Amino acid sequence: MMALWMAKLGIKARVVDKRADKVFSGHADGLNVRTMEILDSFGIGERVSKESYHRHEASFWNPDKNGIIRRDARAPTSQPDLSRFTWCLLHQGHIETFLLDAIREASMSVHIDRNVMPSALRIDEEQVARANAHDSKQSPGSEGTKETVRARYLVGCDGTHSWVRQALGEGYEMVGETTDSIWGVLDIVPVTDFPDIRIPCTVRSASEGTVIVVPRENHLVRLYIQLKEVSTGSGAADRSKITSEVIFRTARRILSPYSLDYHYIDWWSAYQIGQRSGNRFSKLDRIFLAGDAVHTHSPKAGQGMNTAIQDTYNLGWKLGLVCKRVLRREVLATYELERRRIAKQLIALDQKLSQLFVGRPAKDILDETGVTMAEFEKASRMNKMFTTGIGIRYTPNLLNMSDEDQQQHLALATNCQPGTRFASHRALCQADARPWELHHRMPSDGRFRIVIFGGDISRPPQLALVNSLGAWLSVSLQPRFLVLSMPGAASKFKAARDPSVIDVLLVHSAPRERVELLTDLHDVYHPFDDKLGWDYEKTFADGHGRAYRGYGVNDKGLGAAVVVRPDGYVGLVTSLDEVGRDRIGKWFEAILRRG
Amino acid sequence: MMALWMAKLGIKARVVDKRADKVFSGHADGLNVRTMEILDSFGIGERVSKESYHRHEASFWNPDKNGIIRRDARAPTSQPDLSRFTWCLLHQGHIETFLLDAIREASMSVHIDRNVMPSALRIDEEQVARANAHDSKQSPGSEGTKETVRARYLVGCDGTHSWVRQALGEGYEMVGETTDSIWGVLDIVPVTDFPDIRIPCTVRSASEGTVIVVPRENHLVRLYIQLKEVSTGSGAADRSKITSEVIFRTARRILSPYSLDYHYIDWWSAYQIGQRSGNRFSKLDRIFLAGDAVHTHSPKAGQGMNTAIQDTYNLGWKLGLVCKRVLRREVLATYELERRRIAKQLIALDQKLSQLFVGRPAKDILDETGVTMAEFEKASRMNKMFTTGIGIRYTPNLLNMSDEDQQQHLALATNCQPGTRFASHRALCQADARPWELHHRMPSDGRFRIVIFGGDISRPPQLALVNSLGAWLSVSLQPRFLVLSMPGAASKFKAARDPSVIDVLLVHSAPRERVELLTDLHDVYHPFDDKLGWDYEKTFADGHGRAYRGYGVNDKGLGAAVVVRPDGYVGLVTSLDEVGRDRIGKWFEAILRRG
């Protein structure tokens, strides 16, 4: 994800990977709905969705009075009101392939070295101080099989045993605990009569432990199997005892009386649950840590790959735009502010879930040491919004206007809270009536977006308000900052001019046929290009009032302007009048460099 | 499309193309909703849809009292109740690329020769007679730069001036007329203030002629421009007078007072409208003609590429399954029966539309020689169902059970009429609750499908009916015929056994949670495979009653069985009882060879 941002923005970058190739089997497989939206913003959401298992239901199995497992409950897991995506399950190797394809397609600025290990890290602090004032050039130099890479920035995405984190030394230790609970993992094509093998489910047997069933693409099913026998009382488990046979036999006992066999096994592993995280995610805002390098936990909530992707999705555009000298360096501090809190929340969630998963099923309502179904369901429900990725909220900082500043402004778009992701709703393109998911007009291209909810612009005063704001955006705001040159070969269909780093979209609530794009509206809502003519994809009508309802904007009111960060999170909500202009101007002045 | 079917079915085939490469600019660009469904059945619908312009609205411009063009009417053109696709516009070259990719992915059985022309065609009629009884081997032999290809079958998809058609000689002439109306075509990125440049529209000026605007992908717009000046009174036009400048200046005059310029032109051409078709589409059911080789007409209704794709989509599976010795040769006669009638209907439609397009706009209601807006709209409306491709209906033949045979059966599924395409509606996978478009479980893989609308199988008598039918399908029907070996490299996820040529899908209307797939239902609804276990993707629940409503089946009734041909057209509708079994058995006996 980090490399993809660099490629998208045309930043010269180098990936050093000790692995010889992408992952071919095992490892992560869960994609929450926010990760799906993020992948889709780079154009690979459909490929992932098409090949994935889609999660729509979960079930819970517990022992009955005779100790025989039976289905206790079913629960729908899809939330169509939350996102157009559902949870997807697909092997990490496919996702890596799609990311690699997207990197190659975006530009040639990223070089990937495999089979390469770092050996030493030195931070030239004097250089950092100088560079913070005036950035110097990066210059790699080779020395036989060793090479010295001089880089302005370094991001350690190198996993639990992060070499970069260790090289940073004191203050960068991981904090937390390792439990004595050992789990095995099997990726198999099961041959079984267990009825819910194609539904994600938790099977808690009377005394043999718990199996978690995670269906996947292409007939595969992942089973997480609690290994009670090899779990030791304290310290590290005896791993030599664990074989795929041991894990498989345990799964069979837990799923009994149902049969379980397989012809094909794709991967197996075993792990001991540890829940740890780092306190510092960056050093001097020059070296950053992301993913498992700063938070490790069990795979139970399916958050590992998601959190890692979302860490670097948060950091990538900031680093890229700083390198392009568009964004102020101060913004880099928001990476740690925003993502460390998420990591801590995740660890707390995982500790809670892990206890529930290993707990003995309660025999009845009077069984106080057992874990009841109700406790289980409650925990799942409470964490649902967090684990979808949609419930995440970044607290106020430079990028997210704080609540107290703008109580009356927040009321203008009640479902667009600063620090939360800007949702996608459908609106009709003014020029051709095509319904678009607004997310599809907001790709991850490094640009900020101001979404203007213009209200009913068939009313002349409202149209005047929108056009007056448009004139200010185009004459005063956009020219203050640098344009964003985009990588990619010159194309006959490329616009003649590089676009502003601030993109403007208009969504009005007037009947579409009562608006004439070219004559009614200011040019900023349909920018002109010498080669391509007018831009017909910036102005949208809220076809059936659904978009306005979705975003919480009154379609008969004075409208609202929502500033959306390049990663799709809301930065600011404000009015369309002069107060709003002032707030928009200040927000951008605080983070963008003057052009 | 023909080559794609051959590749899908693993039939050894050779494409001989005089062109050096695929089309790079110009030619066809319209994909009607049925073509989109067909492309999607080969897995390339999403790629096409993603890159295309989507048509949702049309507008009509006519001169006002002062002779100035103005928008007279808008009309929505998308019909969400008809199909999940809308009309798409995309350059033919992209579509060829997607087809070529799909051919390569399907198998290695198709070889494409470019820069190659046929020089002679000889039919060995004795051999044909022998082969019809007992097929002989195909054997190509080379002779320097000339080569003799011995083939069992030949399909001429070689356009208006078809060499194959000419080689067939007498009886294969095209019948029809050439009008004196000349049109120019421009593919440009327009720089214009004409308001509806991104909406398909017809602009009829007072005296300068007509422009048809067809927006496309990637900022391109195609303009069809009536060239009144160069249209001669009779016979062929003087083509030397026609340049892109002449065409462009004409377009400008018609669109005046709006401005029209361009920086980039992709292609231009001019054509004289002819409406002709062939009376014979095959010779001895060994040589076939398809596409422009048997019907040519104006591009006005956007039917050229669609009809060609649908011709070969109709023929391909028949020829492929005959080559595989699964289907009886008699079925090949249905190609001409079904497609010739469509060609004739298309020519009639085109003649009518062309007259309307070149007619002078009526000045007012008393202007009898002019064409009124009402006439125009009426013609568009009447032809809408035909031009979408969905309204096409094949008349009764071997493959489409005739109406009089089955009045009471047709009432079982009122929206599944034999000879029409089986629509797609959503149902939930019984095993995992995922909603599927049924079309996505019915890919173009050469298999027939029996869709069993099982009704409310939570009622024991209905479940017994469905299971008793299931036993008959699995024990009596499927084993009568050959299995269908599919091409493609051996994969670890490939089923151990080749599937029956008759695939069975069950859609029930019981509440999903009241059905247990593995224990309630006969194995035919979840077939077992030694390597892959049970098949979880054959049985569906009608989540919200929508699928049953869509297909016109009573969800409280006794159900219905619908036999669907490999090209997605309904062959037979019948009951689930013994009468139904008998009818299903006879239908298949008439067309399939015994295994």
Side-chain angles (χ1 to χ4, degrees), chain A residues 126 174 254 423 446 470 585:
Chain A
E126 276 178 41
M174 296 283 270
I254 297 170

Side-chain angles (χ1 to χ4, degrees), chain A residues 385-452:
Chain A
M385 277 301 284
F386 181 81
T387 56
T388 59
I390 303 296
I392 280 176
R393 179 168 187 174
Y394 298 141
T395 45
N397 64 40
L398 261 183
L399 291 172
N400 315 312
M401 188 69 96
S402 75
D403 289 353
E404 54 261 47
D405 286 1
Q406 51 176 6
Q407 285 303 340
Q408 81 280 26
H409 290 266
L410 288 179
L412 298 173
T414 51
N415 297 330
C416 301
Q417 299 301 303
T420 65
R421 82 91 163 81
F422 185 77
S424 191
H425 294 286
R426 287 190 160 212
L428 304 179
C429 181
Q430 175 65 35
D432 65 14
R434 175 173 177 175
W436 280 99
E437 285 288 342
L438 278 189
H439 274 193
H440 283 155
R441 305 316 305 162
M442 309 171 78
S444 288
D445 58 2
R447 305 176 74 195
F448 291 84
R449 289 196 168 78
I450 308 182
V451 182
I452 311 285

